[in-house]
């Protein structure tokens, strides 16, 4: 019953009109009066923001805020893979032989997520992370490794919630939501950075140009809280023993080692 009610509520509210209205309001000057209460409710760390709260004129500007230089030091070991976002590691583990991952007890298909069985094949028996960004988090996305972008593509249209309830009761949001996929190659092996849109707001804006990525460099941002999935080719990655799920993580912190 709970699952049915959850889905009904989401279906009734997740339409193009409501998405456009929410996005328009967040970008409007009328949203400015919500900024102080938003910052308080979500415990926004104002000390690390690039600008003071009064300098943000819309909620959208606060959502996509930058941080002060040095606020997110990047692990400088050339063999490490770092977190691309401030987030909570919701799940992590091995990608199964059938190209599935298990998230909140529910199977998700990597082939569906990437668009084809061919795209998923290199990641079978590899490793994955699910990184959830809440509305309180810094929303900019940074490169987890240094390497060359092999290809980049988008899939999906609508976006359903990707929080804990969304992953448990939703209609497979990691596979179906609007998503922008960046495949990066380094040392002859690859990883996929899957940026997944959140409910109502599909905006994932690229800020990086060119084919070369540098670890810790900004590459994109979300217009609202969302999720990043990291997929590692088999034999390319070893997780740091201190990393467990669930746990919070910040941009630049070590997730494991590229091998």
């Amino acid at each position: 019953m709970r699952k049915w009610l959850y889905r009904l509520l989401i279906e009734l509210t997740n339409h193009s009109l409501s998405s456009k209205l929410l996005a328009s309001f967040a970008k409007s000057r009328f949203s400015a009066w919500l900024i102080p209460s938003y910052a308080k409710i979500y415990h926004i760390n104002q000390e690390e923001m690039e600008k003071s709260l009064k300098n943000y004129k819309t909620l959208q500007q606060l959502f996509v805020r930058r941080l002060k230089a040095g606020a997110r030091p990047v692990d400088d070991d050339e063999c490490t893979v770092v977190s691309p976002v401030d987030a909570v590691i919701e799940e992590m583990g091995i990608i199964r032989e059938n190209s599935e991952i298990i998230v909140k007890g529910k199977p998700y298909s990597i082939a569906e997520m990437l668009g084809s069985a061919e795209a998923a094949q290199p990641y079978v028996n590899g490793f994955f992370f699910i990184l959830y960004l809440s509305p309180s988090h810094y929303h900019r996305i940074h490169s987890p490794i240094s390497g060359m972008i092999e290809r980049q593509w988008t899939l999906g249209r609508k976006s359903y919630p990707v929080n804990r309830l969304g992953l448990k009761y939703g209609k497979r949001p990691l596979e179906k939501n609007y998503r922008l996929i960046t495949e990066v190659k380094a040392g002859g092996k690859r990883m996929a950075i899957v940026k997944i849109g959140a409910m109502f707001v599909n905006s994932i804006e690229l800020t990086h140009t060119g084919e070369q990525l540098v670890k810790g460099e900004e590459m994109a941002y979300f217009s609202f809280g969302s999720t990043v999935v990291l997929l590692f080719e088999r034999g390319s990655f070893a997780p740091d023993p201190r990393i467990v799920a669930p746990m919070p993580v910040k941009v630049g912190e070590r997730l494991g080692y590229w091998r």
Side-chain angles (χ1 to χ4, degrees):
M1 184 66 173
R2 186 180 181 188
K3 178 178 179 180
W4 182 85
L5 286 172
Y6 176 87
R7 286 187 173 176
L8 177 62
L9 176 63
I10 298 306
E11 289 293 342
L12 288 173
T13 56
N14 193 25
H15 293 284
S16 59
L17 179 59
S18 56
S19 298
K20 288 175 183 176
L21 286 173
L22 180 62
S24 295
F25 175 74
K27 293 176 182 178
S28 76
R29 298 278 173 165
F30 297 107
S31 67
W33 68 276
L34 289 175
I35 289 175
S37 57
Y38 182 94
K40 184 177 181 180
I41 290 167
Y42 288 108
H43 307 289
I44 304 298
N45 185 348
Q46 297 179 43
E47 295 299 316
E48 65 183 17
M49 298 191 315
E50 183 183 56
K51 299 185 291 187
S52 64
L53 202 63
K54 66 182 180 182
N55 291 121
Y56 297 99
K57 304 304 180 185
T58 68
L59 272 177
Q60 167 76 2
Q61 290 180 11
L62 183 62
F63 293 155
V64 302
R65 64 191 178 276
R66 284 191 164 93
L67 303 182
K68 292 176 181 175
R72 293 292 180 273
V74 177
D75 187 297
D76 59 3
D77 186 329
E78 63 181 20
C79 296
T80 58
V81 178
V82 301
S83 177
V85 287
D86 285 10
V88 174
I89 301 173
E90 289 288 355
E91 295 284 357
M92 54 186 282
I94 302 297
I95 300 167
R96 296 180 168 191
E97 287 281 354
N98 61 356
S99 84
E100 285 185 345
I101 60 176
I102 303 300
V103 182
K104 304 303 175 195
K106 189 175 185 178
Y108 282 91
S109 167
I110 295 299
E112 285 272 354
M113 185 185 297
L114 300 181
S116 71
E118 182 181 5
Q121 187 54 39
Y123 301 103
V124 171
N125 294 322
F127 203 86
F128 77 91
F129 282 99
I130 308 295
L131 302 166
Y132 170 65
L133 291 77
S134 74
S136 65
H137 282 119
Y138 166 64
H139 293 152
R140 291 186 178 261
I141 308 162
H142 298 250
S143 183
I145 62 169
S146 294
M148 298 295 293
I149 296 176
E150 277 214 313
R151 67 175 183 137
Q152 199 157 240
W153 68 103
T154 59
L155 294 168
R157 297 181 67 184
K158 287 186 177 182
S159 286
Y160 295 90
V162 285
N163 56 16
R164 287 183 179 87
L165 285 176
L167 293 174
K168 186 174 182 179
Y169 296 120
K171 290 187 174 181
R172 310 180 75 85
L174 299 182
E175 297 173 8
K176 305 297 185 183
N177 278 19
Y178 173 78
R179 54 209 183 276
L180 172 59
I181 302 153
T182 304
E183 210 165 41
V184 184
K185 200 162 190 177
K189 293 185 178 179
R190 78 191 79 185
M191 69 170 297
I193 307 163
V194 186
K195 298 163 284 293
I196 300 175
M199 184 180 178
F200 298 122
V201 184
N202 277 343
S203 179
I204 303 169
E205 303 291 342
L206 289 174
T207 58
H208 176 270
T209 58
E211 297 179 350
Q212 179 73 42
L213 285 174
V214 177
K215 184 168 70 173
E217 182 181 74
E218 184 185 307
M219 58 187 299
Y221 65 80
F222 289 117
S223 287
F224 207 65
S226 196
T227 290
V228 171
V229 179
L230 300 180
L231 306 174
F232 295 93
E233 186 174 1
R234 53 186 170 269
S236 69
F237 177 79
D240 189 300
R242 71 182 179 84
I243 299 294
V244 295
M247 70 174 283
V249 68
K250 290 184 177 180
V251 169
E253 292 182 348
R254 181 173 66 246
L255 294 178
Y257 300 88
W258 191 253
R259 24 180 226 199

